[in-house]
Amino acid sequence: MDAQSATAIFAAKGIDITPNKDQGVIKVVKRPGLNGNQPMIGDRVTVHYTGKLLTGKKFDCSRDRKEPFCFNLGKGQVLKAWDISVLSMQEGEVCTLLCKPEYAYGSSGSPNKIPRNSLIVFEMELLKFEGEKLTDDGGIIRRIKVKGEGYTNPNDGATVKVHLEGSCAGRLFDCRDVTFVVGEAEDKGIPLGVDRAMDKMQRGECCVLYLQPKYGFGTEGKSEYKVGPDKDLVYEVSLKEFQSAKESWEMDLIEKLDLAVGVKHKGNQYFKAGRIFQAVIQYQRIVSWLEMECGTGMDQQKKIQDIIVTAHLNLALCFLRMKEFSQVVENCNKVIEIEEHNEKALYRRGEARLHRNEFSLALVDFQLVLQFNPSNRAARAQISICQRKMKEHHEQDKKTYANMFQKFAERDAKTGKPKRRRNESTRSIKNGEVGIKRRRSSQDCPSFQ
């Protein structure tokens, strides 16, 4: 079949699904979808596919590998024809696609597989799809309804203008246009999850965000919206405009130092109000600005170090509240690299190590605190706790090993007795056989007088 005939046949049976209707991708539905749900841009989709030339020669097939293929839709990770076609499919749908070269492998083709300027036929099955996870714990899921423009995103400190529609259990509780600073959205009654999604959005984008309580209104809820505690939220967000904050490389040192004072104050306010995530955002901004700065004199260098040390100590305290103990240790280590005898850093690192059951390491940290400040009663109390925990752990190990050895002994005793019985019976049988042989021998041979 030549290209013209193939295009005519597909056009008669299917539909042109390209945005500009140039017959670049023509789809023929072989089996309709199950429930009418369609994926959105950015969704993680799972498909089975078979690729063929117009000659019928198969060049690729996921079913032959017995493994479906996954990709993020509309992100340019696959052929242009795939992004267009899967976006038009429903879950469970099976279709056949005729794809022009500019939507497939182009003028170069694929060496040893696909000739140049080839029309390609794909059979595609959409197995499943799910929203894009914006956090490792899956607490913020994004589904893009309208793709944004350009390649830039709002950064921390950017001023954004958005339209919000928030709902809980199908009830709309918030609908407004609002302007806020990224990293400070809760000042406008906007949940953390919306704030944290902003640096993934583009101008003109409209997306739906699914927020778990941790990224919504948490265990407290929001009385003004009549949203109770521990509720999942859904927000539709349209990013209309934004003005990015200056990046670190766009500011001189004086500007960074001046801004750091206000950002630290903002972080402290969030921490005192129990908004730990928001406090972390502010302190991390300070670190990103100043961690690579050296200063031009001793006084300026001392000022930079003091601000960096404070930011890391505050981050360690935040992560203690969040029970992110590895982050506590990491931030305390940064402080100790600058100030070897920093009492707060040693104490907070000791607390984190104690929570991680690293009793001997925690003990060393608290002992160092007392070495530099013998009057620190809290460190002395923590040393007692470490010693008690180490003793309890040692006693528990003794019991564990004692029980283990007891079980081994009981097992050996059980398995050893049958062996002895078998050995004794074997010996008796052997002895009996020998006795019979001996008796037979004495009967066969004449006895001597």
Side-chain angles (χ1 to χ4, degrees):
M1 187 184 304
D2 60 24
Q4 188 175 355
S5 301
T7 302
I9 291 171
F10 271 79
K13 294 183 177 181
I15 55 173
D16 181 359
I17 59 173
T18 55
N20 55 3
K21 303 302 178 185
D22 61 359
Q23 293 190 322
V25 183
I26 302 175
K27 182 175 84 166
V28 178
V29 177
K30 296 179 66 176
R31 187 183 74 195
L34 301 175
N35 52 24
N37 290 333
Q38 290 180 299
M40 296 183 185
I41 296 168
D43 282 2
R44 187 72 175 170
V45 300
T46 303
V47 301
H48 264 313
Y49 69 93
T50 301
K52 295 181 181 181
L53 303 177
L54 288 184
T55 60
K57 181 181 178 182
K58 181 168 63 176
F59 62 83
D60 194 10
C61 181
S62 62
R63 295 187 188 278
D64 290 347
R65 295 191 297 272
K66 298 181 180 179
E67 184 178 357
F69 183 74
C70 300
F71 64 97
N72 289 101
L73 185 60
K75 297 293 187 178
Q77 298 177 355
V78 291
L79 298 175
K80 190 176 180 180
W82 281 30
D83 273 338
I84 292 172
S85 59
V86 175
L87 199 58
S88 74
M89 296 176 69
Q90 299 175 0
E91 187 173 0
E93 178 181 320
V94 178
C95 66
T96 303
L97 309 166
L98 179 67
C99 311
K100 284 184 176 180
E102 54 266 36
Y103 290 88
Y105 294 94
S107 58
S108 58
S110 180
N112 304 320
K113 283 188 176 183
I114 301 164
R116 294 160 54 176
N117 294 310
S118 293
L119 267 73
I120 301 298
V121 177
F122 282 107
E123 182 177 282
M124 189 83 68
E125 180 182 3
L126 178 56
L127 300 174
K128 64 178 181 178
F129 58 87
E130 59 185 0
E132 179 185 9
K133 294 179 180 180
L134 298 188
T135 56
D136 293 337
D137 60 6
I140 307 175
I141 302 293
R142 175 175 69 162
R143 304 195 66 208
I144 301 174
K145 295 179 70 174
V146 179
K147 190 174 182 180
E149 302 171 351
Y151 300 96
T152 58
N153 315 94
N155 57 355
D156 282 333
T159 301
V160 297
K161 182 179 180 181
V162 301
H163 177 75
L164 298 175
E165 294 183 13
S167 59
C168 179
R171 179 182 66 85
L172 184 68
F173 63 79
D174 189 11
C175 182
R176 55 179 162 147
D177 291 322
V178 60
T179 300
F180 65 91
V181 175
V182 177
E184 303 175 13
E186 282 205 348
D187 293 350
K188 298 292 183 73
I190 300 168
L192 175 67
V194 174
D195 191 300
R196 290 298 83 199
M198 298 312 302
D199 66 356
K200 306 292 192 303
M201 296 184 68
Q202 298 169 329
R203 183 178 282 104
E205 178 180 320
C206 176
C207 68
V208 180
L209 301 173
Y210 299 87
L211 311 180
Q212 292 181 1
K214 175 181 177 182
Y215 297 96
F217 296 129
T219 57
E220 297 178 356
K222 198 76 169 176
S223 58
E224 63 186 274
Y225 295 143
K226 298 180 181 179
V227 175
D230 298 316
K231 296 294 184 181
D232 291 337
L233 305 179
V234 178
Y235 267 85
E236 184 170 308
V237 184
S238 298
L239 177 57
K240 294 184 173 183
E241 288 291 340
F242 69 89
Q243 180 65 50
S244 293
K246 283 187 177 181
E247 297 289 354
S248 179
W249 54 269
E250 296 178 297
M251 297 185 285
D252 61 28
L253 180 55
I254 300 299
E255 190 174 1
K256 291 177 184 178
L257 290 171
D258 288 343
L259 286 173
V261 175
V263 171
K264 184 186 78 170
H265 177 67
K266 191 72 176 179
N268 293 348
Q269 287 181 321
Y270 281 137
F271 183 84
K272 291 175 182 176
R275 300 177 184 177
I276 308 302
F277 284 102
Q278 288 77 5
V280 167
I281 293 168
Q282 303 305 319
Y283 300 138
Q284 285 179 336
R285 290 179 70 193
I286 296 172
V287 172
S288 69
W289 290 340
L290 297 175
E291 62 182 343
M292 302 302 292
E293 294 287 353
C294 296
T296 56
M298 293 297 293
D299 290 343
Q300 197 174 61
Q301 178 63 28
K302 181 68 167 56
K303 187 174 182 180
I304 293 169
Q305 287 186 353
D306 288 346
I307 295 174
I308 284 285
V309 164
T310 300
H312 279 302
L313 285 173
N314 290 349
L315 282 169
L317 189 57
C318 288
F319 287 124
L320 268 175
R321 295 285 180 89
M322 296 162 62
K323 299 183 179 180
E324 298 282 351
F325 302 122
S326 60
Q327 292 285 344
V328 177
V329 172
E330 183 178 330
N331 279 279
C332 290
N333 286 343
K334 294 286 181 66
V335 174
I336 293 167
E337 288 174 9
I338 300 171
E339 298 179 1
E340 183 181 358
H341 303 155
N342 189 284
E343 186 176 340
K344 289 182 179 179
L346 290 168
Y347 187 89
R348 288 171 190 174
R349 188 174 70 177
E351 285 186 291
R353 286 172 165 173
L354 184 57
H355 283 295
R356 291 166 67 174
N357 294 332
E358 297 172 346
F359 306 125
S360 57
L361 292 175
L363 180 63
V364 170
D365 281 337
F366 294 129
Q367 287 173 337
L368 285 171
V369 172
L370 279 185
Q371 181 180 330
F372 304 129
N373 181 10
S375 62
N376 192 314
R377 295 181 180 179
R380 196 175 299 278
Q382 294 284 29
I383 287 174
S384 299
I385 293 172
C386 287
Q387 291 171 337
R388 187 181 76 246
K389 291 283 187 182
M390 291 171 71
K391 184 177 180 181
E392 290 173 357
H393 188 71
H394 180 66
E395 293 296 326
Q396 185 61 43
D397 282 347
K398 284 175 63 177
K399 290 179 182 178
T400 301
Y401 289 124
N403 292 337
M404 188 185 302
F405 292 139
Q406 180 65 27
K407 289 178 181 178
F408 288 156
E410 291 173 357
R411 187 188 65 185
D412 291 343
K414 290 178 181 178
T415 57
K417 289 179 180 179
K419 285 183 179 178
R420 285 195 294 272
R421 292 194 189 100
R422 286 197 296 273
N423 292 340
E424 290 170 1
S425 60
T426 302
R427 284 196 298 271
S428 63
I429 292 171
K430 289 181 178 179
N431 292 337
E433 290 175 350
V434 171
I436 293 170
K437 288 180 180 178
R438 285 175 179 170
R439 286 194 295 272
R440 285 176 180 171
S441 298
S442 62
Q443 290 172 359
D444 294 338
C445 298
S447 58
F448 292 92
Q449 301 293 327

